[in-house]
């Protein structure tokens, strides 16, 4: 289970790109997202179930999703 920060992982609802130094930030944030996908793929290939939640998701909502996922096992 991962809890991804909206800024650092480019949340489609709350992610923002800084107005200054975009030449640094855009590739940096893109690499974070790319690394997330590589990590997810590697874990799934190793037999793990991967759950990712945005930081703005309530603990109750995340817990419900975790329980649903466990019920599928």
């Amino acid at each position: 289970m991962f809890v991804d920060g909206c800024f650092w992982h480019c949340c489609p609802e709350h992610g923002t790109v800084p107005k200054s130094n975009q030449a640094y930030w855009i590739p940096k944030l893109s690499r974070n997202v790319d690394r997330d996908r590589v990590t997810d793929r590697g874990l799934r290939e190793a037999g793990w179930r991967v759950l990712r939640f945005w930081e703005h998701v309530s603990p109750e909502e995340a817990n419900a999703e975790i329980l649903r996922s466990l019920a599928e096992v």
Side-chain angles (χ1 to χ4, degrees):
M1 182 184 80
F2 296 91
V3 177
D4 293 333
C6 291
F7 172 75
W8 295 105
H9 299 270
C10 301
C11 171
E13 287 184 58
H14 304 109
T16 59
V17 176
K19 292 184 180 7
S20 62
N21 204 10
Q22 288 187 344
Y24 169 79
W25 282 109
I26 291 172
K28 164 69 175 150
L29 297 174
S30 179
R31 284 191 309 270
N32 289 348
V33 173
D34 292 343
R35 186 178 60 246
D36 292 343
R37 299 305 149 245
V38 169
T39 299
D40 291 353
R41 187 172 41 256
L43 289 169
R44 286 187 180 109
E45 288 172 358
W48 290 86
R49 182 175 298 208
V50 178
L51 298 175
R52 284 191 178 269
F53 301 97
W54 291 111
E55 67 178 314
H56 63 263
V57 171
S58 73
E60 295 80 14
E61 186 179 343
N63 186 54
E65 179 62 27
I66 293 165
L67 292 174
R68 276 192 296 275
S69 179
L70 290 172
E72 295 173 3
V73 175

